[in-house]
Amino acid sequence: MDWTEGLLQVHACPAPVDAHLLRLLGQKSPALRTRLRSGAQQLPSRLIQYPAAPSRGRISVSSEDLQCLAQGEFLNDVIIDFYLKYLLLEGVGGAVAERSHVFSSFFYKQLSKRRAAGEDVSVPDRHTRHQRVKTWTRNIDIFNKDFLFIPVNQEAHWFLVLVCFPGLEEPKLEEFSPSSEALRAGGGLRSQTPPECTLDGCRKSSVLKRPCVLVMDSLKLSHHEAVCRLIRDYLHVEWESRRGSKRLFSTETFKTCNCRVPQQDNSSDCGLYLLQYAQAFLQNPVVDLELPVRLDAWFPRQHVRDKREEIRRLVLRLHREQSG
């Protein structure tokens, strides 16, 4: 990479690593120090680190990242990762969030990379891919979680893959009792009737809980078969590594469903829809996994239209709090 791009990568490191690396670079020679000063003028201004220190896994959001929140711009991976983490930790919280795990957008990027020249060709492909990301879950057993959120960017298009009940080996029926709030909502206090398969919309006395992969995509033209296959392969090896036994994650035992979800009406809001799908699930999750899953009326389109400004205000508020 060129000098400016290298500086951007250094600047993106969490403190105090960034300052240490820049200091080392500046001590190399007077020429480098001069170039560093001129290149630093092009560096993005860091606004926040989230979550705040001393929490682990912090994400740095810069003023440059905020530019992608302008109308018509595509969301970048920093905004996607930041807002998903915020939803889980603070934005929604509650029981569903506690039973969920959110992967970084880089997870699928690493998982889907082609085999590199130096990688052992005698090792099965699924194990090679798992090797690249195995440390990402060293502090968590994903099979103890009910939901895994995986943001995917394929051919410059964002969509959400949601793995449900990865630790469950077969479907089972569970008793279900609609909450009083859900019954009131169904009585006409909401402007939009919640989908029947969700917590707020379900009126059944029993619901189906099953291990499966839900794909939530705001464009119907996208293809997901290869993505879901790689995720099943990952789960296969992760189970073997974590549990020490064999388990088959096949299309029969771990079904895929392309959910019917609200669709985008332009060419730039796919990342916003991904974030809104995640938020809607945390607030009003699918409780009945009879396939196919229909979520057409999950949320009004205005929620997505408001999201750019909502995220911008959130980042600036956190910036004031962290700067104070």
Side-chain angles (χ1 to χ4, degrees):
M1 64 181 69
D2 62 26
W3 177 256
T4 301
E5 187 178 358
L7 284 174
L8 291 172
Q9 294 294 328
V10 170
H11 185 78
C13 293
V17 176
D18 55 348
H20 177 64
L21 291 175
L22 290 171
R23 187 166 58 251
L24 290 177
L25 288 171
Q27 292 172 351
K28 287 290 184 179
S29 70
L32 279 183
R33 193 176 298 115
T34 301
R35 292 174 67 189
L36 180 60
R37 282 198 296 268
S38 62
Q41 297 174 2
Q42 305 172 33
L43 293 175
S45 171
R46 179 186 299 157
L47 293 173
I48 63 169
Q49 286 191 319
Y50 186 84
S55 300
R56 300 173 59 183
R58 298 193 299 277
I59 298 169
S60 295
V61 181
S62 71
S63 55
E64 186 180 74
D65 296 319
L66 282 195
Q67 294 175 15
C68 74
L69 292 172
Q71 290 297 327
E73 297 293 328
F74 291 92
L75 297 197
N76 67 8
D77 44 28
V78 173
I79 295 297
I80 294 287
D81 289 342
F82 156 71
Y83 196 69
L84 286 176
K85 181 162 285 194
Y86 171 78
L87 287 175
L88 203 68
L89 298 181
E90 297 181 65
V92 177
V96 181
E98 291 173 2
R99 306 197 314 268
S100 301
H101 176 71
V102 171
F103 282 96
S104 161
S105 59
F106 291 104
F107 171 78
Y108 184 76
K109 287 182 183 178
Q110 284 293 104
L111 195 67
S112 59
K113 280 170 52 178
R114 294 180 180 273
R115 189 186 290 266
E119 291 178 316
D120 191 347
V121 295
S122 65
V123 177
D125 187 58
R126 64 174 59 170
H127 287 82
T128 299
R129 294 181 188 277
H130 180 269
Q131 186 72 19
R132 300 177 194 146
V133 296
K134 68 175 184 178
T135 59
W136 295 37
T137 54
R138 61 187 168 194
N139 297 318
I140 185 171
D141 184 349
I142 60 173
F143 300 108
N144 288 335
K145 295 292 186 179
D146 288 350
F147 307 111
L148 310 177
F149 292 79
I150 305 175
V152 175
N153 189 303
Q154 193 173 47
E155 298 178 359
H157 174 63
W158 288 107
F159 59 91
L160 178 66
V161 175
L162 182 61
V163 178
C164 299
F165 305 108
L168 190 65
E169 298 194 49
E170 59 183 20
K172 65 176 183 178
L173 283 173
E174 287 191 342
E175 291 186 3
F176 179 78
S177 176
S179 68
S180 57
E181 290 185 7
L183 289 172
R184 287 198 301 273
L189 295 182
R190 290 194 176 198
S191 60
Q192 198 162 350
T193 303
E196 293 180 358
C197 61
T198 63
L199 178 64
D200 289 348
C202 187
R203 302 292 178 266
K204 295 182 177 180
S205 59
S206 63
V207 295
L208 183 64
K209 180 177 176 181
R210 73 186 314 153
C212 62
V213 181
L214 303 182
V215 179
M216 300 180 185
D217 192 334
S218 56
L219 283 180
K220 293 180 180 179
L221 299 177
S222 305
H223 301 287
H224 314 106
E225 292 81 3
V227 175
C228 294
R229 177 180 56 80
L230 290 183
I231 291 173
R232 283 196 197 87
D233 285 349
Y234 164 77
L235 293 170
H236 175 97
V237 182
E238 179 73 4
W239 179 277
E240 186 177 305
S241 173
R242 177 72 65 169
R243 300 296 173 91
S245 61
K246 299 285 187 180
R247 178 183 168 189
L248 184 63
F249 287 83
S250 69
T251 54
E252 291 302 316
T253 62
F254 214 84
K255 292 183 180 294
T256 295
C257 174
N258 292 301
C259 302
R260 289 177 55 176
V261 288
Q263 298 287 287
Q264 67 187 87
D265 59 353
N266 58 31
S267 61
S268 58
D269 283 354
C270 54
L272 296 169
Y273 273 84
L274 182 160
L275 296 178
Q276 187 60 43
Y277 296 149
Q279 183 170 350
F281 192 92
L282 291 169
Q283 292 173 331
N284 182 26
V286 176
V287 293
D288 186 25
L289 285 165
E290 284 281 4
L291 306 182
V293 174
R294 296 181 174 88
L295 298 164
D296 308 70
W298 212 6
F299 52 82
R301 184 170 282 161
Q302 190 61 41
H303 286 187
V304 180
R305 292 175 179 152
D306 295 341
K307 207 152 213 69
R308 291 181 187 271
E309 187 58 30
E310 176 189 332
I311 297 172
R312 187 197 313 278
R313 289 197 303 265
L314 171 63
V315 172
L316 294 178
R317 176 176 65 79
L318 293 174
H319 171 65
R320 290 192 297 271
E321 292 174 359
Q322 292 186 10
S323 302

